[in-house]
Amino acid sequence: MATAFSSDGEAALRREVGPAAAPPPPRGDLDGFYEVGRAAAFVRGGGFRKVALQFPDELLADAAEVAARMEAETGAEVYVLGDTTYGSCCVDEVAAEHVCAEAVLHYGPACLSPCRKLPVLHVFGKRPLDIGRCAEAFQELYPDRQSRVVMLSDVVYAHAMGELEQQLCPEYPNIIFSRVVYGDPPDPALPGEERQFGRQFLVEAPGGLQDCAMFYVGTEGLTLTNFMLTWNRCSFSSFDPTTNRGRRETLNVNRALMRRLYLVERARDAQVVGILVGTLGVAGYLDVLQHLRELLHRAGKRSYTLAVGKPNPAKLANFLEVDVFVLVACAQNSLLDSSDFYRPVVTPYELELACNPAREWTGNYLTDFRNLLPGACAHIELPPAIPAAEAVPDVSLITGEMRVTHLRDSPASQLPPSTALACRDQTSALAEISPAASFLESRSWRGLEQQLGQTPVSKAVQGRRGIAIAYEDEGREQS
């Protein structure tokens, strides 16, 4: 826990200062890697005059040259977006709207979450893949040619899946290749069709998806973890293109789910919940915020909505009153490892398991919060309220204390519990007072304050020189 908040500084003192190492350039030419022709056709076809180019940190070194080529190809005014407020896998519509952009070109890995407003073109970047070695690793892991296997890949290797399919399908008639899709498909899903994480595939096995194995092409990361937790009844294997090695994934999914269910129990015990806004661009995030507020109110818990950008232990440690946080983010960034945080961080699905008595654990795990909204496949209505005297008592598995599990009446016909009316001045004008704001005002430290006109003006003086471990003037002061 200590290393999450501070360190002894020894590494910084011993570090040799030099020029920052630039990220390695993409292999091949820029036009091919960034698909300048396809991107320019998208801009010209839409008639866009202002376009935002969003790059992750590892590709920012090429941003200026790509932007210059796009301006030369399209004649549009091009802006480069970097250092996104939230995860770089999400489209930063807020930053694009600051420059009045009419469309966004998103480069690099993407979560493929649907956007709310602006047209988006995803350019993943064509990372190299050894097709022959990948096929050999697949054959070693699945020697039975009748194996039912679903082929998944990271989006940066999607360009090579067609060639891999041509090489494997003649020998493996039951192999299923997933297809990368953008946004929500207009047609309803067919029986046996899976649509998750921007992937779409049709399973025709008699037992459904649980009779199939999964083969993932890509490096280890959050994408693979989401796949394994969501389809936790399937066995997984993977091929890492950076090492050209295939392996059977040995992640203990049951143990990972047990850790998540422990966080559900912590959420049941919580009295104050902080709703962390982890995205401003994914469609439906405002609806799920309202859904969580209503859920927490009916469960008898207080909630506060917090927008802190990218959450880290130092930021969230400022809210000591909060017992547990719930992160509203894209499916790829929802599973936050909160072991270094002062309070646990759960997903909207886990909060539903904790507060909605009608929702039970079925073995299926959901990371996309849109599945919880009305009209979605996994939506479950809140049951009607029951009197407190008729509620079934419940005991916490962590503290051993009794806790309330029944739901209150719907808040639609009630006044907001977090505000009150008070007399503001001698004119008896009414002001709306928030108890939460009043509590924060009573704190001894409330953050940085400008204190304009209160700090005396003084001339600048020369400070110490050197490093903190040995300033140049320390010897003279001691003598």
Side-chain angles (χ1 to χ4, degrees), residues 220-275:
E220 184 178 359
L222 289 176
T223 302
L224 179 57
T225 303
N226 272 308
F227 288 166
M228 296 185 68
L229 286 180
T230 302
W231 297 306
N232 54 70
R233 299 179 183 180
C234 302
S235 61
F236 269 80
S237 300
S238 68
F239 176 78
D240 190 341
T242 60
T243 61
N244 284 334
R245 293 180 180 179
R247 70 176 184 181
R248 295 193 182 276
E249 292 297 330
T250 57
L251 171 66
N252 191 336
V253 177
N254 290 333
R255 185 174 181 180
L257 290 175
M258 288 175 62
R259 287 198 296 266
R260 306 306 304 187
L261 292 177
Y262 166 77
L263 298 180
V264 172
E265 197 66 20
R266 291 287 300 271
R268 289 194 178 105
D269 291 342
Q271 295 299 318
V272 180
V273 178
I275 303 176

Side-chain angles (χ1 to χ4, degrees), residues 134 137-138 141-142 149-152 213-217 237-239:
C134 183
F138 183 88
L141 292 168
Y142 301 99
V149 184
V150 177
M151 186 72 67
L152 302 167
M214 298 282 190
F215 185 80
Y216 175 74
V217 179
S237 300
S238 68
F239 176 78

Side-chain angles (χ1 to χ4, degrees), residues 362-440:
T362 61
N364 297 325
Y365 195 86
L366 303 175
T367 54
D368 191 344
F369 61 75
R370 296 181 301 142
N371 292 331
L372 307 176
L373 297 176
C377 57
H379 174 71
I380 295 180
E381 292 287 345
L382 295 176
I386 60 175
E390 301 178 7
V392 177
D394 184 50
V395 178
S396 169
L397 299 179
I398 298 177
T399 64
E401 299 178 354
M402 299 288 292
R403 62 188 177 193
V404 178
T405 58
H406 66 280
L407 296 179
R408 297 179 176 180
D409 293 328
S410 175
S413 60
Q414 299 179 3
L415 290 175
S418 60
T419 58
L421 294 179
C423 185
R424 185 173 59 185
D425 50 28
Q426 293 84 357
T427 61
S428 301
L430 294 180
E432 193 175 12
I433 303 300
S434 169
S438 300
F439 174 78
L440 292 177

Side-chain angles (χ1 to χ4, degrees), residues 71-125:
E71 285 186 339
E73 289 283 339
T74 64
E77 191 174 354
V78 174
Y79 296 85
V80 175
L81 307 181
D83 189 23
T84 55
T85 307
Y86 303 101
S88 60
C89 63
C90 299
V91 178
D92 196 349
E93 284 188 318
V94 175
E97 289 179 337
H98 287 168
V99 296
C100 301
E102 300 171 355
V104 179
L105 302 182
H106 184 279
Y107 294 93
C111 59
L112 300 177
S113 300
C115 300
R116 298 183 301 123
K117 300 177 181 178
L118 298 179
V120 178
L121 176 68
H122 287 282
V123 181
F124 305 126

